[in-house]
């Protein structure tokens, strides 16, 4: 009888762990990039602790702005893959965690962390 109760308890705990949703993960830290606004001003864009595994179009360099962002700096704890086009399309380049960065020659419009 005790064996059956122990088995039921273990089975119940296993099922509970299996169906409990995992917490959403995020890259801790900041991702930065430079861009020129539509009005022609130099600006710095950033994402603080962005979600992982989700394509993010960078604010300020979307369809309204013909100029992409540049000089990305990955100061998060996750790899960042930057893309030359919106919706994580076009050419891509990976930036390592904490110290990854590129010059103004690298043009960016979207990024995914993970």
């Amino acid at each position: 009888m005790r064996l059956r109760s122990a088995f039921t308890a273990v089975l119940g705990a296993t099922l509970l762990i299996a169906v409990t949703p995992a917490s959403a993960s995020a890259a801790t830290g900041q991702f930065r990039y430079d861009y020129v606004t539509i009005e022609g001003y130099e600006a710095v864009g950033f994402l603080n602790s962005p979600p992982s595994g989700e394509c993010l179009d960078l604010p300020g360099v979307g369809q309204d702005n013909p100029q992409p962002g540049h000089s990305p700096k990955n100061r998060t704890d996750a790899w960042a893959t930057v893309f030359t086009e919106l919706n994580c399309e076009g050419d891509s380049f990976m930036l390592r965690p904490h110290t990854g960065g590129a010059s103004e020659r690298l043009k960016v419009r979207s990024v995914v962390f993970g």
Side-chain angles (χ1 to χ4, degrees):
M1 190 66 144
R2 289 184 185 175
L3 184 58
R4 183 181 295 172
S5 296
F7 177 74
T8 304
V10 169
L11 181 62
T14 303
L15 288 173
L16 183 60
I17 291 171
V19 298
T20 303
S23 62
S25 62
T28 302
Q30 189 176 72
F31 177 82
R32 300 175 66 91
Y33 57 98
D34 297 331
Y35 68 101
V36 177
T37 66
I38 297 169
E39 296 82 18
Y41 298 107
E42 292 285 331
V44 176
F46 57 90
L47 302 171
N48 288 319
S49 297
S52 297
E54 183 178 320
C55 179
L56 303 170
D57 289 338
L58 299 175
V61 295
Q63 291 178 340
D64 295 341
N65 191 343
Q67 296 188 53
H70 61 87
S71 307
K73 292 174 181 51
N74 184 19
R75 302 300 182 250
T76 71
D77 61 355
W79 281 89
T81 304
V82 294
F83 294 84
T84 57
E85 301 299 328
L86 295 171
N87 302 312
C88 294
E89 295 181 0
D91 294 332
S92 64
F93 186 82
M94 293 184 73
L95 300 173
R96 73 174 68 100
H98 302 292
T99 60
S103 73
E104 67 181 62
R105 293 186 333 196
L106 181 59
K107 308 302 182 194
V108 296
R109 288 195 185 269
S110 56
V111 64
V112 65
F113 295 88

